Amino acid sequence: MAQKPSIPKGTRDFGAVEMARRNYIFDTIKEVFTLYGFSQIETPAMENISTLMGKYGEEGDKLLFRVQNSGEKAALAPEKGLRYDLTVPFARYVVQHREEISFPFKRFQIQPVWRADRPQKGRYREFYQCDVDVIGNDSLVSELELIQIVEEVYRRLGIRVCLHLNNRKVLAGIAEVIGAPDRMMDITVAIDKLDKIGLEAVNGELLERGLNAEQVAALQPILQLSGTTAEKLTALRSILRESETGLKGVEELEEVFRLTGAAGLTGEADPTVKNEVNRALVAKKRSYSESGLSIELDLCLARGLNYYTGAIFEVKALDAQIGSITGGGRYDNLTGIFGMPGVSGVGISFGADRIYDVLTELNLFPESLQSHTRVLFTTFGQDELMMALRWAKALREAGIPTEVYPEPTKMKRQMGYADQKHIPWVAIIGGDELSQEKVMLKNMTTGEQQLISLEQLVTTIQ
RNA sequence: GUGGUCUUAGCUCAGUUGGCAGAGCAUCGGAUUGUGGUUCCGAGUGUCGUGGGUUCGAGCCCCACAUUCCACCCCA
């Protein structure tokens, strides 16, 4: 080979171990989605470029991968692009198939998306999103369901998370009351950085973005809002009393918190719980009932995508610093762009790649993912190998994942194979066993072994 | 898109002022021909990211490209 082959920047191969782990994440998420009555769909990797353009803001357009035309049209402007997320293609899907869909439509979708972003750790050019959306109703119960799904998924995965909740109407209201109704985006982009760069720097950026000193001053009580959720909401109600939109947003937030309370989700963060506790609970087959979810009203949460109009969420792992691992919100009129106005939807997206990194960092992947094989047959000769093949067939018919070491080589090698794959049982067949129609079954954890028949073997390892 | 950074054995990484290419782990063989994970002994492995340049001589200096990661920007 003259030169080692490679793959494009920001893309990855997934090896066998990696795939087992990724499937663990996808399977967990799928199971929970299904539990709440969502059904799966898929859409093409490519969409018409007109479907994608202008849906993600100015920045988003720059990050779109364009697909060059082939043949005679090669020189023309691209007509197709790789999908940037799953929400816009879903909106397109709903409009296109509106006659076949009954609302509210609850769907989930697990597929890769592509962004021409500059890669970093946990940021790729090709990555998977796991989207779950309810479209066609505006009840806040849908918001609740999504929050319940977040709680359930992360409880099953054993990750402690905090769900940050905000509302675009509140942000719009804030912009209104400080006398800058058209500057909502500038304001939110700046205050989004509060916990990262601090109050002073945020104020500096607000001024830089063209707000006047008076407006920045008016924003201070909001930026420094603290206390319990109830206290924050009361304060907000007073601050936003002049803004109809803002008050509507506060009402929606209150309703969501009322619903999560009714559904038994705690709501407030409990910083005393340590990850050690969580890991211990995971070891106990995730049988704990305590919720790993805390919900925080976070007025600094903005989210870049400009189609959100109501609730917005973002989920962060408490024990890993990797940014947001799940995010979403309500969009009142996404399908309007495709000619179907008045359909409200709400959805969230789980970032599988980042969840993978969190599970790796916290060492939370179950050991059992390595191999499903329950028993390995090891042999000393051809006759024994033939017997092993017959027995293995019987075990597989009984539903037991079984392997036969393919050649009667040194026992050290055969045992080593079982050890490396963490296979819990080894069935050894030599001359004695062959003549007695029995195997020497060894428990690889305890080292104990016993001479047993096929029937006994099945019941022992089943 | 702007600025920076990384790339050496399968993996993680040393490598001095420019002077014979190194370690740990993993792998393989043996101690032990019917018993793994522990121990001991032994062995192999390199287009030093790619292409060019400077030099008697380049892993090391210079240029270009690719890649990794980081800070902006934005985001899962």
Side-chain angles (χ1 to χ4, degrees):
Chain A
M1 224 179 314
Q3 206 171 334
K4 269 188 186 169
S6 63
I7 53 176
K9 184 196 290 214
T11 65
R12 295 149 300 156
D13 284 326
F14 300 118
V17 174
E18 232 170 338
M19 272 316 293
R21 293 180 170 179
R22 289 174 66 82
N23 281 333
Y24 164 68
I25 296 171
F26 292 137
D27 292 347
T28 303
I29 287 172
K30 260 191 207 174
E31 242 172 71
V32 176
F33 288 174
T34 310
L35 200 58
Y36 280 81
F38 289 79
S39 24
Q40 185 168 22
I41 68 159
E42 288 202 359
T43 63
M46 285 179 286
E47 291 281 349
N48 292 327
I49 201 99
S50 57
T51 302
L52 302 170
M53 291 285 287
K55 309 297 190 300
Y56 308 105
E58 216 177 297
E59 281 299 322
D61 282 355
K62 282 190 218 161
L63 299 179
L64 281 178
F65 271 107
R66 288 136 209 271
V67 176
Q68 192 170 9
N69 293 318
S70 22
E72 285 176 7
K73 289 179 163 181
L76 300 174
E79 295 171 334
K80 302 175 285 291
L82 297 179
R83 63 166 169 259
Y84 178 91
D85 72 356
L86 301 177
T87 305
V88 167
F90 174 52
R92 189 226 83 222
Y93 176 95
V94 168
V95 175
Q96 203 176 321
H97 299 272
R98 64 178 110 180
E99 307 303 333
E100 310 153 33
I101 296 170
S102 64
F103 297 98
F105 181 39
K106 297 164 78 171
R107 85 88 173 77
F108 74 93
Q109 191 170 349
I110 299 175
Q111 289 188 273
V113 303
W114 294 269
R115 296 184 188 177
D117 205 356
R118 190 170 289 210
Q120 276 180 37
K121 195 191 185 75
R123 282 178 89 160
Y124 308 98
R125 287 186 155 184
E126 178 186 65
F127 62 97
Y128 278 72
Q129 285 191 334
C130 312
D131 267 35
V132 56
D133 290 74
V134 186
I135 196 163
N137 84 309
D138 51 15
S139 164
L140 294 172
V141 171
S142 294
E143 269 83 341
L144 167 69
E145 272 195 3
L146 296 181
I147 294 171
Q148 286 179 298
I149 285 174
V150 166
E151 192 274 334
E152 180 89 34
V153 165
Y154 288 114
R155 179 156 49 79
R156 289 188 182 203
L157 292 175
I159 301 174
R160 285 200 315 137
V161 295
C162 177
L163 187 142
H164 296 253
L165 183 66
N166 197 6
N167 193 296
R168 272 288 166 89
K169 295 189 179 83
V170 167
L171 292 173
I174 290 170
E176 227 174 273
V177 241
I178 67 162
D182 52 336
R183 310 307 297 271
M184 185 180 90
M185 279 313 288
D186 284 316
I187 295 168
T188 54
V189 166
I191 64 175
D192 192 41
K193 297 174 187 163
L194 185 60
D195 57 339
K196 203 173 179 182
I197 61 177
L199 186 61
E200 233 167 277
V202 167
N203 288 336
E205 184 159 341
L206 285 165
L207 292 169
E208 232 171 84
R209 285 175 179 269
L211 274 83
N212 62 41
E214 217 173 296
Q215 291 168 334
V216 172
L219 211 48
Q220 297 312 299
I222 297 160
L223 292 182
Q224 293 174 43
L225 198 60
S226 62
T228 65
T229 302
E231 287 164 1
K232 285 184 193 170
L233 285 168
T234 307
L236 261 185
R237 193 169 266 286
S238 152
I239 292 166
L240 296 173
R241 61 186 175 276
E242 300 294 321
S243 163
E244 197 183 321
T245 311
L247 286 178
K248 182 80 175 47
V250 175
E251 268 165 39
E252 288 182 11
L253 283 170
E254 284 170 343
E255 173 72 1
V256 170
F257 277 106
R258 214 169 54 77
L259 288 169
T260 54
L265 295 171
T266 56
E268 297 289 340
D270 180 5
T272 56
V273 181
K274 290 268 162 45
N275 192 49
E276 315 304 320
V277 177
N278 222 36
R279 217 173 295 175
L281 290 168
V282 171
K284 269 195 261 165
K285 293 187 178 169
R286 306 194 293 275
S287 63
Y288 61 111
S289 58
E290 216 169 304
S291 169
L293 184 73
S294 58
I295 304 173
E296 191 184 321
L297 171 57
D298 180 2
L299 291 173
C300 295
L301 172 63
R303 294 193 60 78
L305 297 175
N306 61 10
Y307 48 65
Y308 292 127
T309 52
I312 43 184
F313 339 84
E314 203 153 276
V315 177
K316 285 180 178 155
L318 293 179
D319 305 298
Q321 280 162 1
I322 196 162
S324 142
I325 52 178
T326 292
R330 178 168 288 275
Y331 38 90
D332 276 335
N333 200 23
L334 190 60
T335 55
I337 316 158
F338 300 118
M340 186 179 175
V343 180
S344 184
V346 59
I348 51 169
S349 177
F350 288 79
D353 302 275
R354 287 194 177 173
I355 293 171
Y356 184 100
D357 289 343
V358 170
L359 289 173
T360 304
E361 190 181 327
L362 301 180
N363 200 17
L364 290 173
F365 280 112
E367 285 273 330
S368 62
L369 295 176
Q370 312 255 345
S371 160
H372 292 111
T373 305
R374 294 284 297 155
V375 58
L376 174 78
F377 282 93
T378 65
T379 57
F380 286 98
Q382 284 304 317
D383 293 342
E384 291 93 326
L385 183 56
M386 294 310 114
M387 171 175 156
L389 292 173
R390 283 196 307 275
W391 281 46
K393 182 167 184 282
L395 288 182
R396 289 174 186 136
E397 276 165 6
I400 299 166
T402 304
E403 288 190 63
V404 178
Y405 198 89
E407 52 183 345
T409 181
K410 283 180 195 148
M411 195 46 50
K412 182 187 169 84
R413 169 158 293 284
Q414 302 188 58
M415 298 286 291
Y417 177 83
D419 186 55
Q420 208 185 3
K421 283 191 80 170
H422 297 110
I423 297 171
W425 302 96
V426 169
I428 303 162
I429 307 177
D432 295 346
E433 289 83 0
L434 184 64
S435 59
Q436 291 181 59
E437 275 289 312
K438 289 192 170 176
V439 296
M440 187 61 78
L441 182 68
K442 175 164 178 152
N443 180 320
M444 292 297 277
T445 312
T446 63
E448 289 163 10
Q449 51 187 50
Q450 51 176 331
L451 192 65
I452 58 171
S453 70
L454 180 56
E455 270 173 36
Q456 291 170 305
L457 179 61
V458 172
T459 54
T460 306
I461 65 184
Q462 210 156 29

